[in-house]
Structures are given as C-alpha cells and as structure tokens.
Amino acid sequence: MEERELTFEEALKRLEEIVRKLEEGRDTLENSMKLFEEGVKLARFCNEKLDEAEKKLQVLMKRGEEIRKEDIDEEEFFSQE
Amino acid sequence: MRGEREDYLTVSELTSRVKFLLEEEFPHIRVGGEVTDYRVSDAGHHYFSLKDERSQVRVVLFRGKSRFVKGDLKNGNFAVVEGSLTVYEPRGEYQILADAVFVSGVGNLLLKYHILREKLEKEGLFDESRKKKIPLFCSRVGVVTSLSGAAVRDIVRIIRNRFPNTEIIISPTSVQGEGAAREISEALRLMDEYGEVDVIIVGRGGGSLEDLWAFNEEEVVRTVASLKTPVISAVGHERDFTLTDFAADVRASTPSNAAEIAVMVKRDVVERIGHLLTRVVSRLSERIETLKGRVGTLRGELKDPRLIVRGMMLRLADLEDRLTRSSPERRIRELKKLISDFLFIMEKRLADLFSERKRGFESLKGKLHALDPKGILKRGYSITLDQETGKVLTSSSETAPGRKVKTILGEGGFLSTVEEVQK
C-alpha cells in the first residue's frame, strides 16, 4: 500500500479488486499471499474509518475571524420539536 | 352498428377516455404563464390562454368565479392559474378549469424565477459537468438550515438511524423572509471555509413559493455553485424545484431524502466489507488447500532416490542416443553403411549367380562333349559310310558285298570293300 492515506472509497475499491484477483486464481501463491495480506489490511482500514467518526452534534459559529463549534445536547434538541 | 365493430374507438369514446385520464391525473394544478387571447363572453365567462416560450394552454374561468381573479387580467400580463384539468369534449381540446387567477405585472416571482433560471442556465451554472461527486462514505455532514425548523430534526434523526456515529455540524441560518438569501449564503460559505465536512446539506421544509423564495435568489444559487464541498439541496417537497436545486451537486426531494443520500446504512457497509473479507480469506484458503493437495500427490509419487537416479540415467541415455542418432554425421554414416551393405549383398548375389551359371555351363559342356561324335569315336566307336553315296551305314542291309565303304575312327580312317553281309 502507498504511504498516502487512502480514502474510504479507494480502499473499498481496492478490496473488491483483490477479491476479484483472488477469485480468478491466476496469481502465484506468493502474490496471492501478498494480496490476501493487503485485503485484510484494507478491510480493517475500512472498518476503522467507519468507526472513526464521532457521534457529535455541533453548531458552527464565526466570532470575528475565528470559526468555532459548539456542542448541542441531542435530547434537548429533539425535545424542542 | 355498435355491436359489429370491436377494432376501433369512436371519437367520443377516445375523448371521454382522455378526459377521464386527465381529470384523474391532474385534479389540482397551479400553472403560471403569460396571458393571451383574453376575452369575456356574453354570458360573462372568462376565456384566455397561458403561454410561455414553447407552449400554450387554454383556460376557462366561469362567471361565478370572477371574484377569484386577483389583479389586472389582461393580455401580456403574467398570471398564475389554480384549478383542474379537463377536456372540452365537443372540440376534443384540453383546458384548465380555473378556480382562481393571480395576475401581476412584470416583477412577479415566477417570472423572476424563469428569467434567472434562463440566465444562469446559459452561463452553464447548472451544467452536469460542474457537479461534484458525493463521497460514498461521509463521516462529517454539514447542514445549512434553520435550527428551529423540522428539516434539521428530520436530517439528524435519519442520520442517527442509518449511521449513528456520524458527526453532524449545523451552520444555522434563517431560511425565509427579509435577508434570508444573504444569511443562507453566508452560512454556506462558513461551512465551506470550515472545510471539515464531507458533504453539505442545504434546505428547508415545505412551504409556499414565497416561503421557498430565498432558494431562488441569485446570491444563494451562485454561492451553492461556487462551493468546494459537494452540496445536496433539499428544499421543500418533491414537487418544488428551486434554482438552488439546479445548482447543487445532487437534488434531494426532501430533507429526509438528503440525509439518506449523504449517509449510508452502517450495517450494510459493515456487512459488505465483512463479506469481501470473507471472500478474500476463503479464496486464499481454497487456494492453499488446492496447493496442499497437489504437494501431497507429488509426495506420494516420490520414490527411492536411487531409483529416481537410475530412471534419470536411463532417460538420459535414451535422450543421448536419440540425440546422436539424430545428428547429421550419424545419419550419413548410417546411410553409407546401408548402401555398402546393399552393395555387399548385391555383389554376393551376383557372384553366386555367376558361379551357379558357371557350374551349369560346365555340366552343359560335358553333355555336349558326350554328344560330339568325335568323343564317341575317341572311346573306340567308329562310323562307316558308303564310299559312293556318303551315307552313314547304321544297318548291314544298307550295303552289299563288293561295295566300297569308308570308316572314320577317333583319329583318321580307312577304305575297305565289303566281303560278306551278316544279318
């Protein structure tokens, strides 16, 4: 894998490509092992990405030149309906 | 007559079916266009057409509804007609049966909408090629809308259901009334400047054309088109098309729909990745099993190394043999040998044949010798001829006493006279 961090899409696309290659089974065992390793890494990476996001509800504000975020209590937020 | 035909419709039948379909499909419509061919009949009904650049439609407003005409109904003015669609059967024409007509001069919102839409369309602001792709996975979603509206709650609720740990950042703004367009634009720019969100949802819940108007303002439309972050627009209901919708990268039919577009169902994605991983693992282990099987078979075929060496030597010898045999010198030598063998055989045959013949000749010569009268004479026999006639005498009756006879011996001969004949 490259040093640059992949996007989620790129990782998923590459993972699908690896599955396809392995299913074709034309590679040498050595290459297949490499692909396998990469595939496992990618799957882990994708899952990490999915969990990386934080459950947060915030409001964006600008004070002068500074952009600030302020947390909102979700329960309170929905109770305002 | 009616019972005899089944392969066509009468004009009335067709018309009444079209009428039924249209009335069913368009029970209530609101149509805006320029008024033309306006007249009031003797009975007091209003007839006119609405037109735009491409089409026209006829409108009827019955006398009883005259009080629902707001504004100055005359040719060239812009009017919005509310009513239902129907077909006037005697002429087979479809027309709008108006319940109300709202007229205004130039400056009308719809007209503004159309003029601005045309202008921005020509500039290429709505071109497909300008549209950015919404990322497959958005971990941070920006929402530009009113904090007090229903839209923002719909969006947050749907995102929490689909992908709970998504970060939602709201850039609040008023969405209608004086100054709303400026506020929306600023909120959009702030979100874009913040730069940490994967996608921006901009919009509001349903309302009248006036309520939604801010999203048709040039400033908002241009701002949406200029953002670096992909934008999903979600203004009003399914039927409402604002200019912001055209400028956005994706138009959602409602705020809830926008949330669905922005965020995947987490379980689905996790399942998909899990499925891919399972395939990776199972394919590789299948591969390894196959290879293991092959290794096993090969191992089974392995024997005593000495046997293998012997086998190899045999194979090598065979190969060498075949190799030398196939060398050109070898071939020539072989051919030469073949020829000389052939010659040898031929010579031998000829010699045999010759000696055989020679032997035959010798025995023949012997036979000939035996037949030669001289040979017989040499062995003591003699021939006697009559001296006078020269005839060989083979019987005593062929001569008589006193006859002269000649006798030939093996060497020389003599003459004599017959004295006596003996029978």
Side-chain angles (χ1 to χ4, degrees):
Chain A
M1 258 197 279
E2 289 173 46
E3 281 305 298
R4 180 182 71 87
E5 174 144 305
L6 290 166
T7 66
F8 181 82
E9 272 114 320
E10 286 167 339
L12 199 62
K13 216 171 156 189
R14 177 75 185 134
L15 182 56
E16 278 166 336
E17 197 181 306
I18 285 170
V19 170
R20 211 184 52 243
K21 275 191 181 170
L22 281 175
E23 281 175 343
E24 281 171 3
R26 283 200 212 110
D27 263 324
T28 59
L29 180 64
E30 206 184 352
N31 269 336
S32 299
M33 292 295 286
K34 277 186 195 150
L35 285 174
F36 170 76
E37 236 172 82
E38 194 186 338
V40 173
K41 267 188 203 158
L42 286 169
R44 194 187 302 141
F45 170 82
C46 285
N47 274 323
E48 276 169 7
K49 270 264 167 192
L50 291 180
D51 289 329
E52 199 176 72
E54 274 184 275
K55 183 186 170 175
K56 263 189 189 173
L57 186 61
Q58 292 173 308
V59 172
L60 209 55
M61 282 174 298
K62 198 165 184 176
R63 295 265 166 81
E65 281 308 295
E66 193 198 356
I67 296 174
R68 289 188 50 185
K69 287 185 288 180
E70 211 166 86
D71 289 340
I72 299 180
D73 186 307
E74 274 194 51
E75 239 172 84
E76 213 175 288
F77 173 73
F78 280 115
S79 71
Q80 284 167 10
E81 265 184 286
Chain B
M1 282 300 279
R2 290 186 68 88
E4 288 169 20
R5 51 104 199 133
E6 278 167 359
D7 55 342
Y8 63 88
L9 295 171
T10 63
V11 176
S12 321
E13 280 166 347
L14 174 69
T15 307
S16 83
R17 277 168 74 164
V18 169
K19 181 179 159 82
F20 177 78
L21 283 174
L22 283 184
E23 287 175 355
E24 187 90 338
E25 186 68 19
F26 302 99
H28 183 78
I29 47 169
R30 228 160 51 135
V31 184
E34 189 190 320
V35 176
T36 184
D37 299 331
Y38 175 61
R39 69 186 177 87
V40 182
S41 72
D42 294 343
H45 307 313
H46 302 263
Y47 296 95
F48 61 97
S49 292
L50 284 179
K51 68 166 187 181
D52 62 13
E53 319 76 66
R54 290 214 305 270
S55 305
Q56 287 203 13
V57 59
R58 294 183 66 82
V59 184
V60 186
L61 183 111
F62 292 123
R63 188 182 51 203
K65 304 250 170 153
S66 293
R67 63 200 162 93
F68 296 112
V69 175
K70 309 287 183 197
D72 184 14
L73 185 56
K74 66 174 190 187
N75 288 342
N77 274 4
F78 190 90
V80 175
V81 172
E82 277 187 9
S84 54
L85 212 55
T86 185
V87 173
Y88 181 56
E89 288 183 85
R91 283 204 220 155
E93 275 180 3
Y94 84 93
Q95 53 189 1
I96 297 167
L97 210 57
D99 294 322
V101 180
F102 306 92
V103 195
S104 62
V106 179
N108 170 278
L109 286 182
L110 273 173
L111 196 62
K112 260 181 155 176
Y113 172 93
H114 284 291
I115 290 167
L116 185 58
R117 181 174 163 177
E118 202 169 314
K119 174 179 151 190
L120 297 178
E121 210 157 39
K122 274 186 189 150
E123 275 184 38
L125 215 67
F126 306 151
D127 285 0
E128 276 307 308
S129 59
R130 291 182 52 108
K131 309 270 184 211
K132 292 178 283 292
K133 236 183 114 221
I134 310 293
L136 182 64
F137 168 62
C138 302
S139 61
R140 284 199 198 90
V141 177
V143 183
V144 176
T145 189
S146 160
L147 260 184
S148 59
V152 69
R153 279 167 188 80
D154 287 345
I155 291 169
V156 173
R157 187 179 300 113
I158 286 184
I159 289 177
R160 287 288 175 254
N161 284 339
R162 290 168 74 87
F163 208 110
N165 59 323
T166 305
E167 198 174 331
I168 304 167
I169 298 159
I170 303 163
S171 184
T173 172
S174 65
V175 288
Q176 70 185 78
E178 198 68 30
R182 170 141 300 257
E183 257 192 69
I184 295 167
S185 301
E186 276 169 6
L188 279 168
R189 278 196 291 268
L190 177 63
M191 187 64 84
D192 199 45
E193 201 185 315
Y194 169 63
E196 304 264 313
V197 295
D198 300 307
V199 67
I200 297 172
I201 298 173
V202 61
R204 54 154 293 152
S208 68
L209 179 66
E210 287 75 17
D211 291 341
L212 306 183
W213 189 253
F215 293 91
N216 286 320
E217 294 267 25
E218 188 165 355
E219 188 180 0
V220 173
V221 182
R222 285 195 185 280
T223 303
V224 166
S226 73
L227 299 183
K228 293 191 290 288
T229 316
V231 179
I232 302 173
S233 72
V235 185
H237 298 303
E238 174 72 60
R239 315 159 72 123
D240 302 315
F241 270 86
T242 62
L243 298 182
T244 292
D245 290 325
F246 295 118
D249 297 302
V250 171
R251 175 201 179 247
S253 55
T254 59
S256 301
N257 179 231
E260 284 163 3
I261 293 170
V263 174
M264 303 176 287
V265 176
K266 185 170 186 179
R267 199 186 51 240
D268 291 351
V269 193
V270 171
E271 258 172 29
R272 186 165 156 208
I273 293 165
H275 181 63
L276 284 173
L277 188 62
T278 315
R279 273 161 77 188
V280 168
V281 172
S282 75
R283 293 311 157 197
L284 190 74
S285 42
E286 264 172 36
R287 186 79 197 281
I288 288 170
E289 281 312 307
T290 320
L291 288 173
K292 261 189 194 165
R294 261 176 70 192
V295 170
T297 328
L298 287 172
R299 190 175 293 152
E301 283 167 7
L302 284 180
K303 289 172 195 156
D304 183 341
R306 280 168 305 180
L307 286 178
I308 295 171
V309 171
R310 197 181 302 163
M312 294 283 264
M313 280 169 74
L314 281 172
R315 234 180 111 196
L316 187 64
D318 176 52
L319 285 171
E320 269 176 349
D321 186 39
R322 275 155 67 188
L323 187 69
T324 42
R325 241 185 294 156
S326 64
S327 82
E329 288 88 356
R330 171 85 189 203
R331 284 292 293 161
I332 290 164
R333 224 163 39 235
E334 267 179 3
L335 279 172
K336 272 185 178 164
K337 186 171 184 311
L338 204 67
I339 291 164
S340 73
D341 282 356
F342 177 74
L343 285 177
F344 174 74
I345 290 164
M346 284 304 286
E347 268 171 23
K348 194 171 174 301
R349 277 277 164 83
L350 281 171
D352 286 353
L353 205 63
F354 189 67
S355 58
E356 207 176 292
R357 285 272 166 84
K358 207 169 151 191
R359 265 201 308 279
F361 180 64
E362 291 296 342
S363 80
L364 198 62
K365 229 161 97 182
K367 278 178 191 161
L368 282 174
H369 269 293
L371 287 174
D372 185 354
K374 278 181 187 154
I376 298 164
L377 296 179
K378 274 187 180 159
R379 276 186 277 150
Y381 295 99
S382 63
I383 300 165
T384 304
L385 324 153
D386 187 88
Q387 172 71 14
E388 222 172 302
T389 62
K391 202 180 171 222
V392 174
L393 302 175
T394 56
S395 166
S396 59
S397 60
E398 287 170 351
T399 192
R403 299 260 332 153
K404 281 196 173 153
V405 291
K406 187 183 174 181
T407 300
I408 297 163
L409 301 170
E411 223 158 296
F414 60 86
L415 278 173
S416 54
T417 304
V418 179
E419 284 186 15
E420 190 192 325
V421 174
Q422 293 165 340
K423 297 284 179 188

